[in-house]
Amino acid sequence: MGLTSSHWGVYEFVVKNGRLSELNPFSQDPDPSPIGPSIIDLLEDRTRITKPAVRESWLTGGPGTATHKRGSERFITLSWDEAEKLVADELKRVIKTKGNQAIYAGSYGWASAGRFHHAQSQVHRFLNSIGGYTSSKNTYSYAAAEVIIPHVLGGNLMELLTLQTSWQSVCENTELMVAFGGLPAFNSQISNGGTGAHIQRLGVIEAASAGTKFINLSPRRSDVKSDIDEAWYTLRPNTDVAVMLAMAYQLLTEDLHDDYFLNKYTEGFEKFQAYLLGRKDGVPKTPAWAADISGMVEEDIIALTREMAKKRTMLTVSWSLTRQQHGEQPFWAVTALAAMLGQMGKPGGGVAYGYTITNYLGNNVFKMPYAPLPQGKNLVTDFIPVARVSDMLLNPGQKFDYDGREYTYPDIDMIYWAGGNPFHHHQDLGRLRKAWEKPSTVVVNEWCWNALARHADIILPCTTTLERQDIGMTPRDPFVISMDKAIEPVGEAKNDYDIFAGIARRMNTEDSFTEGRSAEDWQKWIWEQSCKRAAKLNVQMPDYESFREAGFYKSPDLKEDRIFLSDFFKDPDKNPLKTPSGKIEIFSKTIDSFNYNDCPGHPTWMEPDEWLGAEEKAYPLHLISNQPKTKLHSQMDNGTLSSSIKIKGHQPLEMNPDDAKSRGITQGDIVRVFNGRGSCLCGVNITADVMPGVVIISTGSWYDPAEPNDPKSMCKHGNPNVLSPDIGTSKLGQGPAAHSCLTEIEIYDGPVQDITAFNPPEIIEKK
Ligand SMILES: Nc1nc2c(c(=O)[nH]1)N[C@H]1C(S)=C(S)[C@@H](COP(=O)(O)OP(=O)(O)OC[C@H]3O[C@@H](n4cnc5c(=O)[nH]c(N)nc54)[C@H](O)[C@@H]3O)O[C@H]1N2
Ligand SMILES: Nc1nc2c(c(=O)[nH]1)N[C@H]1C(S)=C(S)[C@@H](COP(=O)(O)OP(=O)(O)OC[C@H]3O[C@@H](n4cnc5c(=O)[nH]c(N)nc54)[C@H](O)[C@@H]3O)O[C@H]1N2
Ligand SMILES: [Mo]
């Protein structure tokens, strides 16, 4: 018995005869996620990587040999001694001949919960201890918002999200919640760094029973439909901004906007007003105009706007709205709209950048100042916006724009990835595979033979959380968990920390990486530093031993209800925002001065390249690739829960009955989804919960090319990223734009395709 923590929840584990046999919900969790127990069958599954291994051509020919064979070649096992030496020598070679900036270790991704054994922290600390690496900025989750919101509200988006209006305030005050992108309740199973008690779904139910009316504006019905009676209005994907602008127009022309709020708290409204009225481009942003773009009914836009002005209204946006071309605009436009309603800073009103998207939003937690594992200093200044990875690899030396400045892509010769899976998260996987051929060497720490591991030259097997002790600790969650080691490491797997310590030893830099501390020493150090920081806020945390003994620690309750921007609202002179004007920037002089054609100085509707309203469409269906409800991204795709919803082994695709009928498709058919970038096979779920013209493939099915040597190959399994475009949201944010994607679908009548993603590659045991 013991406790373990994951991004999807805390569980009590049971071990029998050295094997994990059960994961049971944490006693403090009122709404546990069923994702957890999937790990039980996977720890010793055939997909487990049990020994260090090297791609055959790389071993025989050296760095840079037959890089087009990455992903399809067999591996030769090595001892840890040999593997550590190989990686150390290769790092030394690259640093000596090309410089540290030639190592790309953006290493984006979610890895595991647990503060010390956090793979990215480990790889970054290690590489900093040997001179640094080319890094990445922002996330795949909401990069466009991460860059635009600091211009509009100041500060940092991740910080602001933790200050969001609490569910309590919503329950007590919100009369109307208008959710662009709906309330994806399944997504709230997750919270990065660990989830002690799941609160989001219960928050929705409680608010609904207290009288909050929920409106879902989305191409898809919300998952909360089984819990509450939400009103659903469909709109074409990527057209929310047009609807928001029309609502703003309606408020303005019916004089329902709050002039006092706009004058006192915002900057540059006149310019936005001129745009709304069409003074600039001759196009008034009327509800009729927006209806034409979005497919919404004009009268619905008008009626909703009037209702919003009358009631205490919370506007909320899904993060998916940022993962589309011009993904900066929806978050800016919704902020401008909320400002016009004049309820920002009032209980239950204003704007939220998402509820139910992850578990910590609106959870009213006292923000504990927990200490991180120190990262050291990265001496390399080169970086990329994270989703520009293929651009960087394909175009060394090329210039790119980002947030008002011009930068240059470095020339990458080595990739080091630990925690994260680019063959899950990146768009246009065919293009990524071509780009992935560029560096001489790819080193990956992984525990399972997913597409990332297969595309490595040197693969180093790491442990999972259940094979090591850690502390589950994040300021976003009230529960700090003493994570126990459940079983011994499987095969020859090692903790990421020990892997890096071993490589460092061979580079004579072990001391600067480990500082002489064991993993347990570091955990104690993190705990003690955290206690000191907490004491400064008058919070007494238990000592390390008492914490370990108790199993978990719960941070103090927050006394007051958190209301987003309430200090600013109460006294904007004393508590100005961190923007140039100190106010909400509806027009931003800074952004305007960048002169970007794809991100002007105020919220603006711009047609995406791929959308349903385009005059000429190469493909007729809009593909949304949302988050998978049965797992976190690609993690445990081969587990029982994820497998349980597959259709003949393929990823399910949701489509409207009309679209199915016109193509002669019936429930459960296997279809080929295709566009100019690629194709994949899916099994069909026909449902009226998706609007006509839109299809949905959740992400996370392990990439499984029918022709492993061909980057453009069809994915047999159903990974939507073979179809999605690899373009930046704009020159400002350069975020990923997976959701601006058109496709076509036909019944698949080729030979039956077995799913091979879960067969490990051929492995030769070295004698
Ligand atoms: N089309 C499309 N694409 C998307 C999205 C979308 O909506 N549509 N969403 C995007 C979003 S929001 C995100 S955040 C990304 C997520 O993309 P990722 O975060 O890259 O996806 P994960 O599958 O969570 O990858 C985590 C990896 O870490 C590994 N791992 C787990 N524990 C450890 C450990 O202890 N050590 C090491 N070394 N490795 C470990 C896992 O096996 C797994 O391969 O995807 C993005 N991609
Ligand atoms: N179970 C589970 N939960 C997760 C994750 C997971 O992998 N699994 N991943 C986590 C991560 S890393 C993140 S960043 C968050 C992401 O959270 P979100 O970005 O909010 O989630 P998505 O599921 O991608 O999208 C939610 C819904 O947005 C709607 N939508 C898509 N495009 C549009 C549009 O143009 N307009 C409108 N109005 N609606 C649109 C669709 O109905 C879609 O189902 O989820 C987190 N939660
Ligand atoms: Mo994300």
Side-chain angles (χ1 to χ4, degrees):
M1 287 279 284
L3 278 181
T4 190
S5 175
S6 64
H7 303 298
W8 42 93
V10 174
Y11 300 87
E12 290 169 12
F13 63 73
V14 180
V15 174
K16 282 194 188 132
N17 303 324
R19 292 221 153 113
L20 183 70
S21 67
E22 283 173 47
L23 279 189
N24 298 311
F26 182 40
S27 58
Q28 309 291 309
D29 191 346
D31 189 22
S33 159
I35 294 176
S38 285
I39 192 73
I40 295 171
D41 297 332
L42 298 180
L43 290 172
E44 295 178 66
D45 181 66
R46 64 197 167 124
T47 48
R48 189 68 200 255
I49 306 169
T50 53
K51 288 181 183 174
V54 187
R55 184 170 67 86
E56 187 169 28
S57 298
W58 196 99
L59 189 65
T60 50
T65 307
T67 57
H68 62 283
K69 288 192 180 168
R70 284 188 185 128
S72 61
E73 221 182 338
R74 56 186 195 174
F75 285 82
I76 319 288
T77 61
L78 292 180
S79 69
W80 272 110
D81 263 4
E82 293 165 311
E84 284 165 5
K85 184 166 182 318
L86 219 51
V87 176
D89 288 349
E90 181 57 359
L91 281 165
K92 282 194 256 178
R93 180 192 73 82
V94 173
I95 291 169
K96 191 164 164 215
T97 59
K98 308 275 168 84
N100 278 79
Q101 82 294 335
I103 304 169
Y104 179 63
S107 191
Y108 177 81
W110 272 62
S112 56
R115 201 157 180 92
F116 175 69
H117 291 294
H118 176 240
Q120 271 90 17
S121 306
Q122 294 293 348
V123 66
H124 294 156
R125 181 180 159 83
F126 165 66
L127 289 172
N128 284 342
S129 74
I130 55 168
Y133 59 95
T134 290
S135 60
S136 65
K137 277 203 171 57
N138 305 136
T139 64
Y140 274 78
S141 309
Y142 44 38
E146 278 173 282
V147 182
I148 194 126
I149 288 296
H151 290 289
V152 178
L153 290 182
N156 163 303
L157 179 69
M158 286 195 186
E159 276 289 311
L160 294 175
L161 287 172
T162 62
L163 301 176
Q164 190 159 307
T165 300
S166 68
W167 270 112
Q168 214 167 311
S169 177
V170 168
C171 288
E172 284 164 16
N173 304 287
T174 308
E175 293 169 287
L176 182 68
M177 183 180 284
V178 180
F180 291 88
L183 295 157
F186 289 124
N187 291 12
S188 64
Q189 292 174 96
I190 308 297
S191 193
N192 47 327
T195 307
H198 289 85
I199 59 150
Q200 296 286 327
R201 218 173 53 84
L202 305 179
V204 174
I205 295 169
E206 201 183 320
S209 59
T212 310
K213 179 174 163 190
F214 286 88
I215 306 282
N216 168 21
L217 294 168
S218 173
R220 180 176 188 259
R221 249 196 111 169
S222 273
D223 321 322
V224 293
K225 66 168 187 189
S226 50
D227 298 317
I228 62 158
D229 208 7
E230 36 93 270
W232 180 34
Y233 296 85
T234 59
L235 77 172
R236 287 176 175 149
N238 294 201
T239 67
D240 299 72
V241 171
V243 173
M244 292 169 186
L245 293 174
M247 289 172 161
Y249 174 93
Q250 195 65 21
L251 291 177
L252 185 67
T253 52
E254 286 196 13
D255 204 15
L256 296 172
H257 62 299
D258 188 334
D259 252 334
Y260 174 80
F261 188 95
L262 289 170
N263 280 328
K264 188 164 176 190
Y265 298 98
T266 73
E267 175 72 17
F269 180 66
E270 320 72 52
K271 290 217 164 67
F272 184 53
Q273 171 171 314
Y275 170 71
L276 291 176
L277 295 173
R279 294 204 183 116
K280 232 167 124 184
D281 54 3
V283 183
K285 310 301 173 297
T286 63
W289 167 83
D292 196 39
I293 290 171
S294 66
M296 267 188 84
V297 178
E298 181 188 356
E299 288 72 27
D300 287 344
I301 301 177
I302 296 171
L304 250 175
T305 310
R306 289 182 183 148
E307 194 178 351
M308 279 157 44
K310 234 187 277 157
K311 291 184 168 166
R312 181 56 58 92
T313 300
M314 179 64 83
L315 305 177
T316 175
V317 272
S318 149
W319 297 350
S320 61
L321 271 57
T322 67
R323 298 196 298 282
Q324 53 182 249
Q325 199 177 9
H326 311 128
E328 293 79 9
Q329 302 304 316
F331 274 45
W332 201 359
V334 81
T335 309
L337 183 59
M340 289 176 76
L341 286 168
Q343 302 184 19
M344 292 166 99
K346 293 185 184 165
V351 69
Y353 303 110
Y355 283 107
T356 75
I357 290 172
T358 120
N359 190 56
Y360 71 84
L361 297 164
N363 65 353
N364 219 42
V365 162
F366 182 88
K367 280 179 71 187
M368 293 288 284
Y370 299 132
L373 174 69
Q375 300 286 287
K377 190 167 162 46
N378 188 352
L379 299 177
V380 174
T381 52
D382 295 77
F383 75 93
I384 53 165
V386 69
R388 303 276 47 84
V389 57
S390 292
D391 283 2
M392 169 186 70
L393 295 171
L394 291 167
N395 307 299
Q398 201 183 82
K399 303 233 180 298
F400 66 95
D401 288 298
Y402 172 69
D403 199 15
R405 284 185 60 188
E406 200 178 66
Y407 300 89
T408 306
Y409 289 125
D411 192 353
I412 298 301
D413 197 39
M414 180 171 187
I415 293 177
Y416 204 130
W417 218 290
N421 178 0
F423 291 86
H424 164 77
H425 64 234
H426 197 58
Q427 284 58 69
D428 198 345
L429 290 181
R431 186 167 185 256
L432 177 68
R433 282 191 66 191
K434 288 303 290 177
W436 202 257
E437 291 176 11
K438 163 73 181 35
S440 301
T441 301
V442 178
V443 185
V444 171
N445 296 8
E446 251 298 347
W447 67 274
C448 55
W449 280 113
N450 57 19
L452 170 66
R454 287 163 187 274
H455 283 81
D457 294 321
I458 306 176
I459 179 83
L460 304 176
C462 66
T463 52
T464 67
T465 40
L466 287 145
E467 294 148 66
R468 60 201 185 210
Q469 178 186 272
D470 208 341
I471 302 177
M473 178 189 245
T474 154
R476 290 174 291 271
D477 197 273
F479 289 95
V480 181
I481 305 299
S482 171
M483 296 165 67
D484 299 305
K485 175 172 166 179
I487 59 165
E488 288 304 315
V490 173
E492 294 175 21
K494 282 195 191 185
N495 300 336
D496 290 288
Y497 178 67
D498 298 318
I499 295 175
F500 291 122
I503 300 168
R505 201 170 308 135
R506 290 170 190 281
M507 299 180 81
N508 294 322
T509 56
E510 191 183 3
D511 282 353
S512 54
F513 176 64
T514 65
E515 295 181 38
R517 292 191 180 99
S518 68
E520 165 104 57
D521 293 340
W522 271 114
Q523 289 168 32
K524 199 165 174 211
W525 183 90
I526 289 172
W527 184 266
E528 283 164 0
Q529 295 297 315
S530 300
C531 289
K532 281 187 201 154
R533 288 170 171 220
K536 288 194 185 139
L537 301 181
N538 292 324
V539 176
Q540 185 71 36
M541 287 167 64
D543 63 47
Y544 183 74
E545 283 72 26
S546 313
F547 159 66
R548 285 289 183 201
E549 203 167 311
F552 68 90
Y553 160 72
K554 186 165 184 276
S555 62
D557 291 334
L558 192 66
K559 299 269 169 334
E560 68 280 12
D561 247 1
R562 191 166 270 141
I563 297 162
F564 187 48
L565 299 179
S566 57
D567 290 348
F568 169 65
F569 179 67
K570 272 181 217 136
D571 192 341
D573 296 323
K574 217 169 111 200
N575 308 305
L577 298 181
K578 291 180 193 136
T579 54
S581 62
K583 298 182 179 185
I584 300 165
E585 303 228 336
I586 295 181
F587 176 84
S588 160
K589 277 195 198 128
T590 313
I591 293 179
D592 190 57
S593 74
F594 299 158
N595 279 317
Y596 290 153
N597 57 351
D598 51 8
C599 192
H602 56 69
T604 303
W605 157 254
M606 286 163 281
E607 250 197 84
D609 295 339
E610 293 184 38
W611 70 297
L612 288 175
E615 247 165 49
E616 282 185 27
K617 293 195 291 278
Y619 303 93
L621 298 169
H622 194 115
L623 169 69
I624 288 175
S625 40
N626 64 345
Q627 311 303 307
K629 69 176 176 193
T630 52
K631 57 184 175 271
L632 175 65
H633 312 132
S634 70
Q635 300 193 46
M636 306 195 295
D637 182 39
N638 45 341
T640 42
L641 193 62
S642 178
S643 309
S644 70
I645 63 157
K646 300 240 169 133
I647 298 176
K648 298 185 191 120
H650 300 274
Q651 169 65 39
L653 168 147
E654 292 177 9
M655 78 192 297
N656 183 275
D658 294 351
D659 293 319
K661 198 165 166 214
S662 62
R663 289 169 179 75
I665 293 169
T666 54
Q667 173 66 29
D669 281 349
I670 303 304
V671 291
R672 191 175 80 95
V673 194
F674 61 96
N675 62 21
R677 289 176 288 268
S679 61
C680 66
L681 298 184
C682 287
V684 170
N685 274 335
I686 298 175
T687 166
D689 283 352
V690 179
M691 71 182 268
V694 174
V695 293
I696 309 224
I697 307 177
S698 298
T699 56
S701 277
W702 286 11
Y703 173 63
D704 197 8
E707 303 293 335
N709 285 315
D710 174 12
K712 286 278 172 195
S713 167
M714 172 175 86
C715 170
K716 299 182 282 184
H717 198 181
N719 183 324
N721 274 328
V722 297
L723 301 158
S724 54
D726 186 9
I727 53 167
T729 50
S730 78
K731 296 189 185 82
L732 187 92
Q734 293 287 13
H739 288 141
S740 298
C741 180
L742 293 175
T743 57
E744 177 54 302
I745 291 182
E746 62 184 18
I747 291 206
Y748 175 68
D749 55 10
V752 172
Q753 296 280 354
D754 291 333
I755 307 305
T756 47
F758 307 134
N759 300 344
E762 192 185 340
I763 297 164
I764 311 294
E765 294 278 340
K766 202 178 154 195
K767 299 280 173 321

